[in-house]
Amino acid sequence: MFLVDTTSTATDERDVGGAAQPMLIVRDLKKHFAVRGAAVRSTARVHAVDGVSFTVAKGETLGVVGESGCGKSTLGKLLMHLIDADSGELIFDGGAIGTRDMPLTQLRRNLQMVFQDSSSSLNPRLSIETSIAYGPRVHGASASEAKAKARDLLVRVGLRPDIFAGRYPHELSGGQKQRVNIARALALDPRMIILDESVSALDKSVEAQVLNLLRRLREDLRLTYIFISHDLNVVQYISDRVLVMYMGKIVEIGAVDEIYRRPRHPYTKALLRSRLSSSPDERIKLAPLTGDPPNPINPPPGCRFRARCPHARDLCATAEPVLEDGATGRKVACHFAEELADA
Ligand SMILES: Nc1ncnc2c1ncn2[C@@H]1O[C@H](COP(=O)(O)OP(=O)(O)OP(=O)(O)O)[C@@H](O)[C@H]1O
Ligand SMILES: [Mg+2]
């Protein structure tokens, strides 16, 4: 007799493409912002997201890391269609977004985003329950259905409805507000959630509780996450794979354990070295990232990391490295990744 493990193999009736079809495919996504330059009438272009391609499998958590300004939030907003891409292709469970297969209205139900700033994302005039019930109401649920849904979601995110349903945002702690934001994101039964620095503003102990909540929800509701954070420890804890961004490009992507154990790209190496160590002595000893901080305005040809890279050579100034397939699904964009493997 075969026992079927229903928690991991049960099919989701919303699953159009089958288990092997990625939840999300991103192809050559680009967004440049025009900004006024210092010189009169000059316009500079910020290459915020500059030709990014990756996939996210169903049920996995893809971490996104990189220094401030590298394009993480812009990437999240492009995926959510909060801003329009200059070019690129997005495919959600096999359906090209914006076509009949996956119209934007359907995408908005399937894909939600939770931001860092919990106070500004909740309407101060709405009770918690009304706030969570808002989405279902707009999508046609009756008042009583929407209210029942909101209470159910409060339970799911660990807030007792009898205590919290009637409260207002100013009566909540930061962690409680973030739980409400998560409940709101879940209100339309999405399949995927983009979390952009969602736990970054919380105290460490509260952060750990919310991270565990997110993991539990992912299992219970079979969610897929993109988890954006500057905190490398948190990303390691929650992610299956990790995507490392530098100046609008992916420099390395692969399984989180492999990348953290043996980073291949010189930028990933430097980033992981600069991670806050728990020992102050070690923190001082470690070489920080040197050179100019990244400025994605009109980037020069070649490798964008070369000005800060200890291994840069002539080739790096002329030829842009492409993200190449390595062993076990790992990809690295460095001309000398092989050579530097043990450096
Ligand atoms: N609306 C905009 N207009 C012009 N430039 C923008 C706009 N939004 C973002 N940028 C620029 O695009 C680049 C990427 O910004 P983004 O917010 O995506 O970075 P980030 O990786 O999320 O940074 P952080 O870790 O600080 O949140 C930055 O140089 C930023 O100044
Ligand atoms: Mg950001």
Side-chain angles (χ1 to χ4, degrees), residues 121-168:
S121 49
L122 288 172
N123 186 332
R125 287 172 220 277
L126 296 185
S127 72
I128 298 318
E129 184 182 72
T130 313
S131 214
I132 301 171
Y134 183 81
R137 279 295 276 156
V138 169
H139 281 81
S142 71
S144 62
E145 280 167 351
K147 188 174 160 178
K149 178 83 186 174
R151 290 184 167 243
D152 173 56
L153 284 168
L154 279 172
V155 174
R156 276 207 184 273
V157 299
L159 297 173
R160 281 177 52 181
D162 56 333
I163 297 177
F164 289 98
R167 285 206 191 173
Y168 287 81

mmCIF file of all heavy atoms in Angstrom, residues 121-168:
data_model
loop_
_atom_site.group_PDB
_atom_site.id
_atom_site.type_symbol
_atom_site.label_atom_id
_atom_site.label_comp_id
_atom_site.label_asym_id
_atom_site.label_seq_id
_atom_site.Cartn_x
_atom_site.Cartn_y
_atom_site.Cartn_z
ATOM 1 N N SER A 121 1.796 51.490 6.237
ATOM 2 C CA SER A 121 1.026 50.671 5.303
ATOM 3 C C SER A 121 -0.371 50.332 5.830
ATOM 4 O O SER A 121 -1.206 49.841 5.093
ATOM 5 C CB SER A 121 1.789 49.402 4.934
ATOM 6 O OG SER A 121 2.259 48.760 6.074
ATOM 7 N N LEU A 122 -0.628 50.604 7.117
ATOM 8 C CA LEU A 122 -1.979 50.376 7.645
ATOM 9 C C LEU A 122 -2.707 51.710 7.767
ATOM 10 O O LEU A 122 -2.144 52.681 8.257
ATOM 11 C CB LEU A 122 -1.907 49.722 9.036
ATOM 12 C CG LEU A 122 -1.471 48.258 9.081
ATOM 13 C CD1 LEU A 122 -1.261 47.821 10.530
ATOM 14 C CD2 LEU A 122 -2.492 47.372 8.398
ATOM 15 N N ASN A 123 -3.953 51.736 7.343
ATOM 16 C CA ASN A 123 -4.751 52.956 7.458
ATOM 17 C C ASN A 123 -5.080 53.203 8.941
ATOM 18 O O ASN A 123 -5.725 52.383 9.586
ATOM 19 C CB ASN A 123 -6.038 52.776 6.644
ATOM 20 C CG ASN A 123 -6.867 54.042 6.594
ATOM 21 O OD1 ASN A 123 -6.813 54.859 7.503
ATOM 22 N ND2 ASN A 123 -7.633 54.188 5.532
ATOM 23 N N PRO A 124 -4.638 54.356 9.493
ATOM 24 C CA PRO A 124 -4.834 54.594 10.932
ATOM 25 C C PRO A 124 -6.302 54.695 11.334
ATOM 26 O O PRO A 124 -6.643 54.526 12.499
ATOM 27 C CB PRO A 124 -4.112 55.924 11.171
ATOM 28 C CG PRO A 124 -4.000 56.567 9.829
ATOM 29 C CD PRO A 124 -3.951 55.449 8.827
ATOM 30 N N ARG A 125 -7.170 54.984 10.368
ATOM 31 C CA ARG A 125 -8.598 55.158 10.700
ATOM 32 C C ARG A 125 -9.388 53.868 10.669
ATOM 33 O O ARG A 125 -10.562 53.848 11.007
ATOM 34 C CB ARG A 125 -9.243 56.111 9.696
ATOM 35 C CG ARG A 125 -8.844 57.539 9.878
ATOM 36 C CD ARG A 125 -9.408 58.325 8.695
ATOM 37 N NE ARG A 125 -8.468 59.312 8.243
ATOM 38 C CZ ARG A 125 -8.342 60.503 8.802
ATOM 39 N NH1 ARG A 125 -9.108 60.859 9.805
ATOM 40 N NH2 ARG A 125 -7.445 61.359 8.359
ATOM 41 N N LEU A 126 -8.772 52.791 10.205
ATOM 42 C CA LEU A 126 -9.517 51.524 10.106
ATOM 43 C C LEU A 126 -9.114 50.577 11.227
ATOM 44 O O LEU A 126 -7.928 50.455 11.548
ATOM 45 C CB LEU A 126 -9.235 50.845 8.763
ATOM 46 C CG LEU A 126 -9.673 51.561 7.478
ATOM 47 C CD1 LEU A 126 -9.414 50.664 6.272
ATOM 48 C CD2 LEU A 126 -11.146 51.962 7.535
ATOM 49 N N SER A 127 -10.114 49.907 11.790
ATOM 50 C CA SER A 127 -9.792 48.875 12.774
ATOM 51 C C SER A 127 -9.050 47.757 12.049
ATOM 52 O O SER A 127 -9.132 47.621 10.822
ATOM 53 C CB SER A 127 -11.067 48.334 13.413
ATOM 54 O OG SER A 127 -11.770 47.544 12.475
ATOM 55 N N ILE A 128 -8.342 46.956 12.832
ATOM 56 C CA ILE A 128 -7.559 45.855 12.271
ATOM 57 C C ILE A 128 -8.441 44.940 11.431
ATOM 58 O O ILE A 128 -8.101 44.571 10.304
ATOM 59 C CB ILE A 128 -6.922 45.054 13.439
ATOM 60 C CG1 ILE A 128 -5.976 45.938 14.249
ATOM 61 C CG2 ILE A 128 -6.231 43.804 12.961
ATOM 62 C CD1 ILE A 128 -5.096 46.837 13.429
ATOM 63 N N GLU A 129 -9.594 44.611 11.992
ATOM 64 C CA GLU A 129 -10.499 43.697 11.293
ATOM 65 C C GLU A 129 -10.954 44.287 9.949
ATOM 66 O O GLU A 129 -10.932 43.604 8.924
ATOM 67 C CB GLU A 129 -11.712 43.438 12.176
ATOM 68 C CG GLU A 129 -12.688 42.447 11.616
ATOM 69 C CD GLU A 129 -13.884 42.300 12.540
ATOM 70 O OE1 GLU A 129 -14.700 43.241 12.611
ATOM 71 O OE2 GLU A 129 -13.960 41.264 13.213
ATOM 72 N N THR A 130 -11.330 45.566 9.958
ATOM 73 C CA THR A 130 -11.789 46.214 8.726
ATOM 74 C C THR A 130 -10.667 46.252 7.697
ATOM 75 O O THR A 130 -10.876 46.046 6.503
ATOM 76 C CB THR A 130 -12.264 47.654 9.030
ATOM 77 O OG1 THR A 130 -13.107 47.616 10.175
ATOM 78 C CG2 THR A 130 -13.020 48.245 7.868
ATOM 79 N N SER A 131 -9.461 46.523 8.195
ATOM 80 C CA SER A 131 -8.301 46.596 7.327
ATOM 81 C C SER A 131 -8.056 45.259 6.620
ATOM 82 O O SER A 131 -7.801 45.220 5.410
ATOM 83 C CB SER A 131 -7.097 46.944 8.195
ATOM 84 O OG SER A 131 -6.210 47.737 7.498
ATOM 85 N N ILE A 132 -8.131 44.173 7.371
ATOM 86 C CA ILE A 132 -7.878 42.852 6.776
ATOM 87 C C ILE A 132 -9.040 42.455 5.862
ATOM 88 O O ILE A 132 -8.836 41.828 4.817
ATOM 89 C CB ILE A 132 -7.661 41.780 7.872
ATOM 90 C CG1 ILE A 132 -6.466 42.160 8.755
ATOM 91 C CG2 ILE A 132 -7.435 40.402 7.261
ATOM 92 C CD1 ILE A 132 -6.305 41.300 9.989
ATOM 93 N N ALA A 133 -10.267 42.849 6.242
ATOM 94 C CA ALA A 133 -11.454 42.458 5.472
ATOM 95 C C ALA A 133 -11.578 43.249 4.162
ATOM 96 O O ALA A 133 -12.351 42.883 3.280
ATOM 97 C CB ALA A 133 -12.713 42.657 6.319
ATOM 98 N N TYR A 134 -10.805 44.327 4.052
ATOM 99 C CA TYR A 134 -10.948 45.235 2.909
ATOM 100 C C TYR A 134 -10.774 44.525 1.559
ATOM 101 O O TYR A 134 -11.623 44.652 0.666
ATOM 102 C CB TYR A 134 -9.940 46.384 3.045
ATOM 103 C CG TYR A 134 -10.057 47.409 1.953
ATOM 104 C CD1 TYR A 134 -11.026 48.400 2.004
ATOM 105 C CD2 TYR A 134 -9.190 47.393 0.856
ATOM 106 C CE1 TYR A 134 -11.143 49.345 0.989
ATOM 107 C CE2 TYR A 134 -9.301 48.326 -0.154
ATOM 108 C CZ TYR A 134 -10.272 49.298 -0.081
ATOM 109 O OH TYR A 134 -10.390 50.210 -1.082
ATOM 110 N N GLY A 135 -9.687 43.767 1.428
ATOM 111 C CA GLY A 135 -9.407 43.079 0.155
ATOM 112 C C GLY A 135 -10.541 42.142 -0.247
ATOM 113 O O GLY A 135 -11.078 42.248 -1.356
ATOM 114 N N PRO A 136 -10.932 41.216 0.643
ATOM 115 C CA PRO A 136 -12.047 40.326 0.308
ATOM 116 C C PRO A 136 -13.336 41.088 -0.050
ATOM 117 O O PRO A 136 -14.052 40.704 -0.981
ATOM 118 C CB PRO A 136 -12.245 39.510 1.593
ATOM 119 C CG PRO A 136 -10.894 39.501 2.234
ATOM 120 C CD PRO A 136 -10.273 40.829 1.892
ATOM 121 N N ARG A 137 -13.606 42.200 0.652
ATOM 122 C CA ARG A 137 -14.801 43.002 0.342
ATOM 123 C C ARG A 137 -14.747 43.505 -1.097
ATOM 124 O O ARG A 137 -15.703 43.380 -1.845
ATOM 125 C CB ARG A 137 -14.901 44.216 1.282
ATOM 126 C CG ARG A 137 -15.476 43.917 2.631
ATOM 127 C CD ARG A 137 -16.924 43.482 2.559
ATOM 128 N NE ARG A 137 -17.886 44.579 2.517
ATOM 129 C CZ ARG A 137 -19.103 44.480 2.007
ATOM 130 N NH1 ARG A 137 -19.502 43.357 1.468
ATOM 131 N NH2 ARG A 137 -19.921 45.512 2.019
ATOM 132 N N VAL A 138 -13.577 44.087 -1.445
ATOM 133 C CA VAL A 138 -13.412 44.634 -2.794
ATOM 134 C C VAL A 138 -13.579 43.534 -3.848
ATOM 135 O O VAL A 138 -14.083 43.767 -4.933
ATOM 136 C CB VAL A 138 -12.024 45.312 -2.935
ATOM 137 C CG1 VAL A 138 -11.721 45.654 -4.388
ATOM 138 C CG2 VAL A 138 -11.959 46.556 -2.073
ATOM 139 N N HIS A 139 -13.164 42.321 -3.487
ATOM 140 C CA HIS A 139 -13.265 41.218 -4.440
ATOM 141 C C HIS A 139 -14.584 40.460 -4.319
ATOM 142 O O HIS A 139 -14.679 39.301 -4.722
ATOM 143 C CB HIS A 139 -12.069 40.274 -4.295
ATOM 144 C CG HIS A 139 -10.840 40.822 -4.971
ATOM 145 N ND1 HIS A 139 -10.034 41.768 -4.385
ATOM 146 C CD2 HIS A 139 -10.327 40.600 -6.215
ATOM 147 C CE1 HIS A 139 -9.049 42.074 -5.229
ATOM 148 N NE2 HIS A 139 -9.212 41.389 -6.328
ATOM 149 N N GLY A 140 -15.583 41.094 -3.720
ATOM 150 C CA GLY A 140 -16.936 40.542 -3.825
ATOM 151 C C GLY A 140 -17.468 39.749 -2.650
ATOM 152 O O GLY A 140 -18.589 39.253 -2.705
ATOM 153 N N ALA A 141 -16.664 39.608 -1.557
ATOM 154 C CA ALA A 141 -17.188 38.875 -0.399
ATOM 155 C C ALA A 141 -18.224 39.745 0.321
ATOM 156 O O ALA A 141 -18.115 40.975 0.312
ATOM 157 C CB ALA A 141 -16.047 38.520 0.555
ATOM 158 N N SER A 142 -19.212 39.108 0.961
ATOM 159 C CA SER A 142 -20.194 39.866 1.736
ATOM 160 C C SER A 142 -19.513 40.375 3.005
ATOM 161 O O SER A 142 -18.435 39.892 3.384
ATOM 162 C CB SER A 142 -21.367 38.964 2.111
ATOM 163 O OG SER A 142 -20.934 38.028 3.086
ATOM 164 N N ALA A 143 -20.141 41.325 3.674
ATOM 165 C CA ALA A 143 -19.547 41.892 4.882
ATOM 166 C C ALA A 143 -19.277 40.809 5.921
ATOM 167 O O ALA A 143 -18.229 40.787 6.562
ATOM 168 C CB ALA A 143 -20.461 42.979 5.450
ATOM 169 N N SER A 144 -20.230 39.888 6.077
ATOM 170 C CA SER A 144 -20.029 38.869 7.116
ATOM 171 C C SER A 144 -18.966 37.857 6.703
ATOM 172 O O SER A 144 -18.166 37.404 7.528
ATOM 173 C CB SER A 144 -21.350 38.181 7.467
ATOM 174 O OG SER A 144 -21.859 37.525 6.333
ATOM 175 N N GLU A 145 -18.907 37.531 5.416
ATOM 176 C CA GLU A 145 -17.851 36.620 4.937
ATOM 177 C C GLU A 145 -16.469 37.242 5.157
ATOM 178 O O GLU A 145 -15.539 36.582 5.618
ATOM 179 C CB GLU A 145 -18.004 36.368 3.429
ATOM 180 C CG GLU A 145 -19.049 35.346 3.043
ATOM 181 C CD GLU A 145 -19.360 35.381 1.545
ATOM 182 O OE1 GLU A 145 -18.892 36.315 0.822
ATOM 183 O OE2 GLU A 145 -20.077 34.489 1.096
ATOM 184 N N ALA A 146 -16.363 38.516 4.786
ATOM 185 C CA ALA A 146 -15.077 39.202 4.893
ATOM 186 C C ALA A 146 -14.637 39.296 6.352
ATOM 187 O O ALA A 146 -13.457 39.131 6.678
ATOM 188 C CB ALA A 146 -15.162 40.592 4.269
ATOM 189 N N LYS A 147 -15.600 39.527 7.227
ATOM 190 C CA LYS A 147 -15.291 39.624 8.654
ATOM 191 C C LYS A 147 -14.825 38.269 9.201
ATOM 192 O O LYS A 147 -13.839 38.185 9.944
ATOM 193 C CB LYS A 147 -16.560 40.081 9.387
ATOM 194 C CG LYS A 147 -16.357 40.404 10.840
ATOM 195 C CD LYS A 147 -17.628 40.975 11.446
ATOM 196 C CE LYS A 147 -17.539 40.817 12.959
ATOM 197 N NZ LYS A 147 -18.695 41.368 13.657
ATOM 198 N N ALA A 148 -15.498 37.219 8.777
ATOM 199 C CA ALA A 148 -15.113 35.874 9.220
ATOM 200 C C ALA A 148 -13.699 35.551 8.721
ATOM 201 O O ALA A 148 -12.879 34.989 9.453
ATOM 202 C CB ALA A 148 -16.118 34.848 8.697
ATOM 203 N N LYS A 149 -13.417 35.943 7.488
ATOM 204 C CA LYS A 149 -12.098 35.717 6.915
ATOM 205 C C LYS A 149 -11.031 36.473 7.725
ATOM 206 O O LYS A 149 -9.970 35.931 8.045
ATOM 207 C CB LYS A 149 -12.103 36.211 5.456
ATOM 208 C CG LYS A 149 -10.797 36.079 4.736
ATOM 209 C CD LYS A 149 -10.628 34.682 4.197
ATOM 210 C CE LYS A 149 -9.261 34.480 3.585
ATOM 211 N NZ LYS A 149 -9.027 33.112 3.182
ATOM 212 N N ALA A 150 -11.339 37.721 8.056
ATOM 213 C CA ALA A 150 -10.390 38.537 8.817
ATOM 214 C C ALA A 150 -10.096 37.901 10.172
ATOM 215 O O ALA A 150 -8.940 37.829 10.608
ATOM 216 C CB ALA A 150 -10.937 39.950 8.995
ATOM 217 N N ARG A 151 -11.118 37.401 10.834
ATOM 218 C CA ARG A 151 -10.916 36.783 12.154
ATOM 219 C C ARG A 151 -10.121 35.492 12.042
ATOM 220 O O ARG A 151 -9.250 35.215 12.862
ATOM 221 C CB ARG A 151 -12.274 36.549 12.825
ATOM 222 C CG ARG A 151 -12.876 37.875 13.223
ATOM 223 C CD ARG A 151 -14.166 37.773 13.985
ATOM 224 N NE ARG A 151 -14.429 39.089 14.548
ATOM 225 C CZ ARG A 151 -14.484 39.357 15.845
ATOM 226 N NH1 ARG A 151 -14.292 38.396 16.738
ATOM 227 N NH2 ARG A 151 -14.703 40.586 16.266
ATOM 228 N N ASP A 152 -10.414 34.740 11.006
ATOM 229 C CA ASP A 152 -9.665 33.516 10.761
ATOM 230 C C ASP A 152 -8.179 33.830 10.533
ATOM 231 O O ASP A 152 -7.288 33.161 11.060
ATOM 232 C CB ASP A 152 -10.280 32.813 9.541
ATOM 233 C CG ASP A 152 -9.462 31.621 9.098
ATOM 234 O OD1 ASP A 152 -9.231 30.741 9.948
ATOM 235 O OD2 ASP A 152 -9.032 31.585 7.927
ATOM 236 N N LEU A 153 -7.926 34.886 9.780
ATOM 237 C CA LEU A 153 -6.537 35.260 9.489
ATOM 238 C C LEU A 153 -5.825 35.785 10.730
ATOM 239 O O LEU A 153 -4.638 35.534 10.926
ATOM 240 C CB LEU A 153 -6.488 36.297 8.357
ATOM 241 C CG LEU A 153 -6.738 35.711 6.975
ATOM 242 C CD1 LEU A 153 -6.964 36.810 5.954
ATOM 243 C CD2 LEU A 153 -5.576 34.820 6.539
ATOM 244 N N LEU A 154 -6.562 36.495 11.594
ATOM 245 C CA LEU A 154 -5.947 36.960 12.846
ATOM 246 C C LEU A 154 -5.461 35.761 13.660
ATOM 247 O O LEU A 154 -4.356 35.770 14.200
ATOM 248 C CB LEU A 154 -6.943 37.801 13.651
ATOM 249 C CG LEU A 154 -7.076 39.259 13.198
ATOM 250 C CD1 LEU A 154 -8.230 39.955 13.929
ATOM 251 C CD2 LEU A 154 -5.774 40.023 13.452
ATOM 252 N N VAL A 155 -6.279 34.718 13.711
ATOM 253 C CA VAL A 155 -5.868 33.509 14.431
ATOM 254 C C VAL A 155 -4.607 32.933 13.789
ATOM 255 O O VAL A 155 -3.641 32.592 14.469
ATOM 256 C CB VAL A 155 -7.007 32.457 14.432
ATOM 257 C CG1 VAL A 155 -6.521 31.152 15.059
ATOM 258 C CG2 VAL A 155 -8.224 33.000 15.168
ATOM 259 N N ARG A 156 -4.606 32.865 12.454
ATOM 260 C CA ARG A 156 -3.454 32.304 11.736
ATOM 261 C C ARG A 156 -2.150 33.039 12.025
ATOM 262 O O ARG A 156 -1.091 32.436 12.066
ATOM 263 C CB ARG A 156 -3.699 32.359 10.228
ATOM 264 C CG ARG A 156 -4.490 31.213 9.719
ATOM 265 C CD ARG A 156 -4.142 30.950 8.266
ATOM 266 N NE ARG A 156 -4.972 29.886 7.727
ATOM 267 C CZ ARG A 156 -4.658 28.601 7.819
ATOM 268 N NH1 ARG A 156 -3.535 28.216 8.393
ATOM 269 N NH2 ARG A 156 -5.464 27.699 7.321
ATOM 270 N N VAL A 157 -2.240 34.355 12.180
ATOM 271 C CA VAL A 157 -1.009 35.111 12.412
ATOM 272 C C VAL A 157 -0.732 35.309 13.911
ATOM 273 O O VAL A 157 0.156 36.070 14.291
ATOM 274 C CB VAL A 157 -1.009 36.484 11.692
ATOM 275 C CG1 VAL A 157 -1.115 36.297 10.186
ATOM 276 C CG2 VAL A 157 -2.107 37.404 12.205
ATOM 277 N N GLY A 158 -1.498 34.610 14.749
ATOM 278 C CA GLY A 158 -1.193 34.598 16.181
ATOM 279 C C GLY A 158 -1.730 35.785 16.956
ATOM 280 O O GLY A 158 -1.174 36.143 18.003
ATOM 281 N N LEU A 159 -2.801 36.403 16.476
ATOM 282 C CA LEU A 159 -3.415 37.510 17.216
ATOM 283 C C LEU A 159 -4.860 37.109 17.547
ATOM 284 O O LEU A 159 -5.644 36.811 16.639
ATOM 285 C CB LEU A 159 -3.418 38.797 16.381
ATOM 286 C CG LEU A 159 -2.055 39.375 15.990
ATOM 287 C CD1 LEU A 159 -2.234 40.544 15.013
ATOM 288 C CD2 LEU A 159 -1.280 39.845 17.218
ATOM 289 N N ARG A 160 -5.199 37.112 18.852
ATOM 290 C CA ARG A 160 -6.554 36.685 19.232
ATOM 291 C C ARG A 160 -7.583 37.701 18.732
ATOM 292 O O ARG A 160 -7.521 38.875 19.109
ATOM 293 C CB ARG A 160 -6.642 36.552 20.750
ATOM 294 C CG ARG A 160 -6.041 35.263 21.262
ATOM 295 C CD ARG A 160 -6.080 35.198 22.761
ATOM 296 N NE ARG A 160 -7.422 35.457 23.306
ATOM 297 C CZ ARG A 160 -7.695 35.478 24.606
ATOM 298 N NH1 ARG A 160 -6.730 35.266 25.488
ATOM 299 N NH2 ARG A 160 -8.921 35.722 25.019
ATOM 300 N N PRO A 161 -8.554 37.253 17.939
ATOM 301 C CA PRO A 161 -9.543 38.184 17.385
ATOM 302 C C PRO A 161 -10.298 38.940 18.478
ATOM 303 O O PRO A 161 -10.591 40.130 18.312
ATOM 304 C CB PRO A 161 -10.494 37.286 16.594
ATOM 305 C CG PRO A 161 -9.732 36.053 16.315
ATOM 306 C CD PRO A 161 -8.754 35.878 17.428
ATOM 307 N N ASP A 162 -10.628 38.270 19.596
ATOM 308 C CA ASP A 162 -11.411 38.967 20.631
ATOM 309 C C ASP A 162 -10.630 40.141 21.218
ATOM 310 O O ASP A 162 -11.211 41.098 21.714
ATOM 311 C CB ASP A 162 -11.865 37.991 21.727
ATOM 312 C CG ASP A 162 -10.701 37.246 22.365
ATOM 313 O OD1 ASP A 162 -9.662 37.062 21.682
ATOM 314 O OD2 ASP A 162 -10.796 36.869 23.551
ATOM 315 N N ILE A 163 -9.324 40.084 21.142
ATOM 316 C CA ILE A 163 -8.510 41.190 21.669
ATOM 317 C C ILE A 163 -8.163 42.202 20.569
ATOM 318 O O ILE A 163 -8.184 43.402 20.784
ATOM 319 C CB ILE A 163 -7.209 40.644 22.295
ATOM 320 C CG1 ILE A 163 -7.543 39.744 23.481
ATOM 321 C CG2 ILE A 163 -6.276 41.782 22.720
ATOM 322 C CD1 ILE A 163 -6.335 39.095 24.111
ATOM 323 N N PHE A 164 -7.849 41.703 19.384
ATOM 324 C CA PHE A 164 -7.241 42.582 18.380
ATOM 325 C C PHE A 164 -8.172 43.091 17.270
ATOM 326 O O PHE A 164 -7.876 44.107 16.659
ATOM 327 C CB PHE A 164 -6.031 41.884 17.739
ATOM 328 C CG PHE A 164 -4.866 41.780 18.679
ATOM 329 C CD1 PHE A 164 -4.619 40.614 19.388
ATOM 330 C CD2 PHE A 164 -4.025 42.875 18.872
ATOM 331 C CE1 PHE A 164 -3.556 40.534 20.273
ATOM 332 C CE2 PHE A 164 -2.956 42.794 19.746
ATOM 333 C CZ PHE A 164 -2.725 41.622 20.452
ATOM 334 N N ALA A 165 -9.284 42.389 17.018
ATOM 335 C CA ALA A 165 -10.098 42.751 15.853
ATOM 336 C C ALA A 165 -10.509 44.222 15.860
ATOM 337 O O ALA A 165 -10.465 44.903 14.842
ATOM 338 C CB ALA A 165 -11.334 41.856 15.773
ATOM 339 N N GLY A 166 -10.884 44.719 17.037
ATOM 340 C CA GLY A 166 -11.402 46.092 17.101
ATOM 341 C C GLY A 166 -10.343 47.153 17.347
ATOM 342 O O GLY A 166 -10.642 48.349 17.430
ATOM 343 N N ARG A 167 -9.088 46.723 17.465
ATOM 344 C CA ARG A 167 -8.033 47.711 17.739
ATOM 345 C C ARG A 167 -7.640 48.488 16.500
ATOM 346 O O ARG A 167 -7.878 48.057 15.370
ATOM 347 C CB ARG A 167 -6.797 47.003 18.283
ATOM 348 C CG ARG A 167 -6.950 46.569 19.719
ATOM 349 C CD ARG A 167 -5.586 46.500 20.348
ATOM 350 N NE ARG A 167 -5.645 45.843 21.642
ATOM 351 C CZ ARG A 167 -4.579 45.521 22.348
ATOM 352 N NH1 ARG A 167 -3.371 45.755 21.861
ATOM 353 N NH2 ARG A 167 -4.700 44.944 23.520
ATOM 354 N N TYR A 168 -6.975 49.616 16.741
ATOM 355 C CA TYR A 168 -6.479 50.470 15.655
ATOM 356 C C TYR A 168 -4.952 50.374 15.607
ATOM 357 O O TYR A 168 -4.324 50.020 16.614
ATOM 358 C CB TYR A 168 -6.958 51.907 15.869
ATOM 359 C CG TYR A 168 -8.431 52.020 15.559
ATOM 360 C CD1 TYR A 168 -9.390 51.638 16.498
ATOM 361 C CD2 TYR A 168 -8.856 52.435 14.297
ATOM 362 C CE1 TYR A 168 -10.743 51.678 16.194
ATOM 363 C CE2 TYR A 168 -10.199 52.474 13.984
ATOM 364 C CZ TYR A 168 -11.151 52.102 14.937
ATOM 365 O OH TYR A 168 -12.479 52.120 14.611
#
